[in-house]
Amino acid sequence: LFTQDARHVTPEIVADTDLLVITRWGNPIEGWCPDPFQEGQMENDGYMSKELEESIVDNVINRGMGFMALHCTCWSPELKKFTEMMGVEAIMHGPVQDVSMYNFNSEHPISADIEDFVMPLDENFGVILQHPNAVPLYETLGAQDKRHDIAGWALENGNGRVVGLVGGHTYTAWRHKTYQKLLWRGAHWAIKRNIPELE
């Protein structure tokens, strides 16, 4: 299931989900609405209600739902429980720039055997690991801002697993074969399944 509007994601849907993946955008998506026609300005989708936040946190920690926080999902400072569940404190990105991805964790199944590469034209979000079980997957270096960050992490939190990968501001990330491998592996690890090879 896929939606561009958080209002369609209900606690009932979350309760029946094995893997929830969020790529946050906190404002209305320009030029898109759920109806054939829209009169006047689009309403903000609200990103995440308090009820939805509670549901996601409960389903990850207690039920064992897998969760992937992609790109700017890490930047949710107004959602305290959700941020604690992700296990990190986010660092806001700088300019859109080439981002070197390096120092891949060879001990973790998501990042093992991944070689350093450059992601063209991306935002370099970073995180500070806050949860004691959070494990870094890789680091980044922005070509312009020269900022070194942890930009991927994995966390076993209660009965659930959380994976964070912060690339993805432009299409280049989603089409990059190595980044696709990280997404593939992260999704399988988050739901506690064996990771097949991505062809």
Side-chain angles (χ1 to χ4, degrees), residues 97-126:
Q97 59 193 309
D98 289 353
V99 179
S100 297
M101 303 177 75
Y102 69 98
N103 197 21
F104 285 88
N105 183 343
S106 62
E107 303 297 316
H108 200 282
I110 296 174
S111 49
D113 304 318
I114 300 286
E115 295 184 5
D116 298 355
F117 67 97
V118 175
M119 183 77 73
L121 299 179
D122 211 337
E123 290 174 336
N124 189 27
F125 274 99

Side-chain angles (χ1 to χ4, degrees), residues 67 69 73-74 76 82-88 153 155 157 162:
F67 181 75
T73 305
C74 64
S76 300
F82 180 70
T83 298
E84 287 176 10
M85 182 269 297
M86 289 190 289
V88 297
W153 75 97
L155 167 63
N157 194 347
V162 175

Side-chain angles (χ1 to χ4, degrees), residues 14-192:
V14 172
D16 193 38
T17 297
D18 294 323
L19 175 64
L20 180 63
V21 181
I22 296 179
T23 302
R24 178 187 183 170
W25 172 247
N27 296 309
I29 296 172
E30 297 298 330
W32 183 89
C33 72
D35 302 312
F37 295 96
Q38 175 80 26
E39 183 175 343
Q41 186 176 3
M42 290 184 287
E43 295 178 20
N44 191 306
D45 67 5
Y47 177 43
M48 189 182 297
S49 67
K50 203 46 130 172
E51 181 185 33
L52 182 57
E53 178 186 17
E54 296 276 356
S55 174
I56 292 170
V57 171
D58 176 62
N59 277 276
V60 170
I61 293 175
N62 296 316
R63 185 171 65 84
M65 178 180 74
F67 181 75
M68 291 185 74
L70 303 183
H71 191 46
C72 49
T73 305
C74 64
W75 186 262
S76 300
E78 74 281 15
L79 302 170
K80 302 299 183 195
K81 290 183 179 179
F82 180 70
T83 298
E84 287 176 10
M85 182 269 297
M86 289 190 289
V88 297
E89 176 187 339
I91 303 169
M92 180 51 83
H93 64 81
V96 174
Q97 59 193 309
D98 289 353
V99 179
S100 297
M101 303 177 75
Y102 69 98
N103 197 21
F104 285 88
N105 183 343
S106 62
E107 303 297 316
H108 200 282
I110 296 174
S111 49
D113 304 318
I114 300 286
E115 295 184 5
D116 298 355
F117 67 97
V118 175
M119 183 77 73
L121 299 179
D122 211 337
E123 290 174 336
N124 189 27
F125 274 99
V127 297
I128 300 168
L129 303 181
Q130 297 289 350
H131 195 286
N133 296 341
V135 175
L137 296 177
Y138 61 89
E139 298 176 47
T140 56
L141 170 64
Q144 288 179 281
D145 61 16
K146 305 300 182 193
R147 202 177 80 192
H148 294 263
D149 290 300
I150 294 172
W153 75 97
L155 167 63
E156 298 200 48
N157 194 347
N159 293 317
R161 288 179 170 179
V162 175
V163 176
L165 304 172
V166 304
H169 181 65
T170 70
Y171 72 91
T172 57
W174 311 110
R175 294 181 182 174
H176 196 288
K177 295 298 184 189
T178 305
Y179 199 67
Q180 289 175 355
K181 185 181 288 188
L182 289 168
L183 293 164
W184 175 262
R185 290 178 175 183
H188 285 83
W189 183 85
I191 55 175
K192 303 175 185 175

